PDB file of all heavy atoms in Angstrom:
ATOM      1  N   ALA A  27       3.920  -1.777   5.533  1.00 96.00           N
ATOM      2  CA  ALA A  27       5.110  -1.387   4.758  1.00 96.00           C
ATOM      3  C   ALA A  27       5.537  -2.545   3.861  1.00 96.00           C
ATOM      4  O   ALA A  27       5.814  -2.334   2.677  1.00 96.00           O
ATOM      5  CB  ALA A  27       6.276  -1.128   5.686  1.00 96.00           C
ATOM      6  N   ILE A  28       5.455  -3.833   4.268  1.00 97.00           N
ATOM      7  CA  ILE A  28       5.794  -5.015   3.442  1.00 97.00           C
ATOM      8  C   ILE A  28       4.752  -5.110   2.274  1.00 97.00           C
ATOM      9  O   ILE A  28       5.076  -5.393   1.113  1.00 97.00           O
ATOM     10  CB  ILE A  28       5.807  -6.239   4.285  1.00 97.00           C
ATOM     11  CG1 ILE A  28       7.061  -6.245   5.152  1.00 97.00           C
ATOM     12  CG2 ILE A  28       5.835  -7.523   3.334  1.00 97.00           C
ATOM     13  CD1 ILE A  28       7.079  -7.347   6.254  1.00 97.00           C
ATOM     14  N   MET A  29       3.464  -4.867   2.538  1.00 97.00           N
ATOM     15  CA  MET A  29       2.435  -5.050   1.571  1.00 97.00           C
ATOM     16  C   MET A  29       2.555  -3.927   0.512  1.00 97.00           C
ATOM     17  O   MET A  29       2.392  -4.252  -0.714  1.00 97.00           O
ATOM     18  CB  MET A  29       1.014  -4.884   2.129  1.00 97.00           C
ATOM     19  CG  MET A  29       0.749  -6.125   3.074  1.00 97.00           C
ATOM     20  SD  MET A  29      -0.885  -5.890   3.888  1.00 97.00           S
ATOM     21  CE  MET A  29      -1.895  -6.943   2.782  1.00 97.00           C
ATOM     22  N   ILE A  30       2.847  -2.697   0.873  1.00 96.00           N
ATOM     23  CA  ILE A  30       3.029  -1.698  -0.225  1.00 96.00           C
ATOM     24  C   ILE A  30       4.257  -1.937  -1.077  1.00 96.00           C
ATOM     25  O   ILE A  30       4.136  -1.812  -2.319  1.00 96.00           O
ATOM     26  CB  ILE A  30       3.169  -0.254   0.455  1.00 96.00           C
ATOM     27  CG1 ILE A  30       1.794   0.116   1.079  1.00 96.00           C
ATOM     28  CG2 ILE A  30       3.647   0.766  -0.479  1.00 96.00           C
ATOM     29  CD1 ILE A  30       1.784   1.473   1.734  1.00 96.00           C
ATOM     30  N   THR A  31       5.323  -2.459  -0.407  1.00 96.00           N
ATOM     31  CA  THR A  31       6.458  -2.758  -1.182  1.00 96.00           C
ATOM     32  C   THR A  31       6.195  -3.934  -2.170  1.00 96.00           C
ATOM     33  O   THR A  31       6.540  -3.964  -3.248  1.00 96.00           O
ATOM     34  CB  THR A  31       7.665  -3.152  -0.262  1.00 96.00           C
ATOM     35  OG1 THR A  31       7.859  -1.987   0.670  1.00 96.00           O
ATOM     36  CG2 THR A  31       8.908  -3.402  -1.122  1.00 96.00           C
ATOM     37  N   TYR A  32       5.529  -4.978  -1.637  1.00 96.00           N
ATOM     38  CA  TYR A  32       5.129  -6.060  -2.399  1.00 96.00           C
ATOM     39  C   TYR A  32       4.209  -5.752  -3.547  1.00 96.00           C
ATOM     40  O   TYR A  32       4.310  -6.337  -4.609  1.00 96.00           O
ATOM     41  CB  TYR A  32       4.484  -7.273  -1.536  1.00 96.00           C
ATOM     42  CG  TYR A  32       4.038  -8.558  -2.190  1.00 96.00           C
ATOM     43  CD1 TYR A  32       4.963  -9.344  -2.891  1.00 96.00           C
ATOM     44  CD2 TYR A  32       2.639  -8.806  -2.317  1.00 96.00           C
ATOM     45  CE1 TYR A  32       4.420 -10.413  -3.564  1.00 96.00           C
ATOM     46  CE2 TYR A  32       2.255  -9.873  -2.870  1.00 96.00           C
ATOM     47  CZ  TYR A  32       3.069 -10.694  -3.604  1.00 96.00           C
ATOM     48  OH  TYR A  32       2.642 -11.809  -4.205  1.00 96.00           O
ATOM     49  N   GLY A  33       3.257  -4.838  -3.307  1.00 94.00           N
ATOM     50  CA  GLY A  33       2.336  -4.465  -4.353  1.00 94.00           C
ATOM     51  C   GLY A  33       2.875  -3.909  -5.508  1.00 94.00           C
ATOM     52  O   GLY A  33       2.380  -3.986  -6.684  1.00 94.00           O
ATOM     53  N   VAL A  34       4.131  -3.339  -5.394  1.00 92.00           N
ATOM     54  CA  VAL A  34       4.805  -2.733  -6.513  1.00 92.00           C
ATOM     55  C   VAL A  34       5.223  -3.821  -7.582  1.00 92.00           C
ATOM     56  O   VAL A  34       5.221  -3.666  -8.794  1.00 92.00           O
ATOM     57  CB  VAL A  34       6.119  -1.991  -6.193  1.00 92.00           C
ATOM     58  CG1 VAL A  34       6.898  -1.563  -7.299  1.00 92.00           C
ATOM     59  CG2 VAL A  34       5.679  -0.772  -5.305  1.00 92.00           C
ATOM     60  N   PHE A  35       5.390  -5.059  -7.036  1.00 94.00           N
ATOM     61  CA  PHE A  35       5.983  -6.130  -7.951  1.00 94.00           C
ATOM     62  C   PHE A  35       4.999  -7.049  -8.455  1.00 94.00           C
ATOM     63  O   PHE A  35       5.191  -7.874  -9.241  1.00 94.00           O
ATOM     64  CB  PHE A  35       7.081  -6.969  -7.091  1.00 94.00           C
ATOM     65  CG  PHE A  35       8.301  -6.113  -6.657  1.00 94.00           C
ATOM     66  CD1 PHE A  35       8.406  -5.771  -5.346  1.00 94.00           C
ATOM     67  CD2 PHE A  35       9.138  -5.767  -7.615  1.00 94.00           C
ATOM     68  CE1 PHE A  35       9.454  -5.042  -5.024  1.00 94.00           C
ATOM     69  CE2 PHE A  35      10.262  -5.030  -7.295  1.00 94.00           C
ATOM     70  CZ  PHE A  35      10.466  -4.694  -6.014  1.00 94.00           C
ATOM     71  N   LEU A  36       3.696  -6.826  -8.091  1.00 92.00           N
ATOM     72  CA  LEU A  36       2.555  -7.677  -8.592  1.00 92.00           C
ATOM     73  C   LEU A  36       2.270  -7.327 -10.008  1.00 92.00           C
ATOM     74  O   LEU A  36       2.326  -6.103 -10.432  1.00 92.00           O
ATOM     75  CB  LEU A  36       1.292  -7.576  -7.712  1.00 92.00           C
ATOM     76  CG  LEU A  36       1.404  -8.133  -6.355  1.00 92.00           C
ATOM     77  CD1 LEU A  36       0.132  -7.799  -5.522  1.00 92.00           C
ATOM     78  CD2 LEU A  36       1.498  -9.595  -6.451  1.00 92.00           C
ATOM     79  N   GLU A  37       1.873  -8.338 -10.820  1.00 86.00           N
ATOM     80  CA  GLU A  37       1.616  -8.088 -12.228  1.00 86.00           C
ATOM     81  C   GLU A  37       0.213  -7.654 -12.451  1.00 86.00           C
ATOM     82  O   GLU A  37       0.001  -6.706 -13.160  1.00 86.00           O
ATOM     83  CB  GLU A  37       1.856  -9.465 -12.908  1.00 86.00           C
ATOM     84  CG  GLU A  37       3.307  -9.867 -13.109  1.00 86.00           C
ATOM     85  CD  GLU A  37       4.044  -8.971 -14.062  1.00 86.00           C
ATOM     86  OE1 GLU A  37       3.469  -8.494 -15.100  1.00 86.00           O
ATOM     87  OE2 GLU A  37       5.280  -8.615 -13.752  1.00 86.00           O
ATOM     88  N   GLN A  38      -0.740  -8.320 -11.826  1.00 87.00           N
ATOM     89  CA  GLN A  38      -2.099  -7.852 -12.036  1.00 87.00           C
ATOM     90  C   GLN A  38      -2.470  -6.616 -11.317  1.00 87.00           C
ATOM     91  O   GLN A  38      -2.268  -6.501 -10.121  1.00 87.00           O
ATOM     92  CB  GLN A  38      -3.052  -9.015 -11.587  1.00 87.00           C
ATOM     93  CG  GLN A  38      -3.060 -10.326 -12.389  1.00 87.00           C
ATOM     94  CD  GLN A  38      -4.111 -11.253 -11.827  1.00 87.00           C
ATOM     95  OE1 GLN A  38      -4.587 -11.180 -10.714  1.00 87.00           O
ATOM     96  NE2 GLN A  38      -4.479 -12.186 -12.631  1.00 87.00           N
ATOM     97  N   GLU A  39      -3.035  -5.659 -12.125  1.00 87.00           N
ATOM     98  CA  GLU A  39      -3.236  -4.345 -11.500  1.00 87.00           C
ATOM     99  C   GLU A  39      -4.386  -4.415 -10.442  1.00 87.00           C
ATOM    100  O   GLU A  39      -4.271  -3.726  -9.402  1.00 87.00           O
ATOM    101  CB  GLU A  39      -3.800  -3.465 -12.608  1.00 87.00           C
ATOM    102  CG  GLU A  39      -2.686  -2.728 -13.345  1.00 87.00           C
ATOM    103  CD  GLU A  39      -3.263  -1.667 -14.211  1.00 87.00           C
ATOM    104  OE1 GLU A  39      -3.741  -2.047 -15.381  1.00 87.00           O
ATOM    105  OE2 GLU A  39      -3.251  -0.495 -13.803  1.00 87.00           O
ATOM    106  N   ARG A  40      -5.327  -5.359 -10.584  1.00 89.00           N
ATOM    107  CA  ARG A  40      -6.307  -5.526  -9.561  1.00 89.00           C
ATOM    108  C   ARG A  40      -5.848  -5.882  -8.236  1.00 89.00           C
ATOM    109  O   ARG A  40      -6.036  -5.272  -7.235  1.00 89.00           O
ATOM    110  CB  ARG A  40      -7.340  -6.618 -10.187  1.00 89.00           C
ATOM    111  CG  ARG A  40      -8.570  -6.775  -9.391  1.00 89.00           C
ATOM    112  CD  ARG A  40      -9.391  -7.826 -10.031  1.00 89.00           C
ATOM    113  NE  ARG A  40      -8.468  -8.802 -10.596  1.00 89.00           N
ATOM    114  CZ  ARG A  40      -8.836  -9.962 -11.136  1.00 89.00           C
ATOM    115  NH1 ARG A  40     -10.036 -10.229 -11.136  1.00 89.00           N
ATOM    116  NH2 ARG A  40      -7.937 -10.899 -11.575  1.00 89.00           N
ATOM    117  N   ARG A  41      -4.887  -6.899  -8.264  1.00 93.00           N
ATOM    118  CA  ARG A  41      -4.264  -7.327  -6.959  1.00 93.00           C
ATOM    119  C   ARG A  41      -3.319  -6.253  -6.464  1.00 93.00           C
ATOM    120  O   ARG A  41      -3.187  -5.982  -5.213  1.00 93.00           O
ATOM    121  CB  ARG A  41      -3.483  -8.596  -7.190  1.00 93.00           C
ATOM    122  CG  ARG A  41      -4.319  -9.872  -7.314  1.00 93.00           C
ATOM    123  CD  ARG A  41      -3.460 -11.003  -7.347  1.00 93.00           C
ATOM    124  NE  ARG A  41      -4.251 -12.202  -7.607  1.00 93.00           N
ATOM    125  CZ  ARG A  41      -3.730 -13.403  -7.990  1.00 93.00           C
ATOM    126  NH1 ARG A  41      -2.498 -13.530  -8.227  1.00 93.00           N
ATOM    127  NH2 ARG A  41      -4.595 -14.389  -8.152  1.00 93.00           N
TER     128      ARG A  41
END
Side-chain angles (χ1 to χ4, degrees):
I28 291 168
M29 290 174 104
I30 287 178
T31 305
Y32 176 66
V34 172
F35 297 107
L36 289 173
E37 290 290 325
Q38 289 183 342
E39 275 188 277
R40 188 178 36 171
R41 284 187 185 161

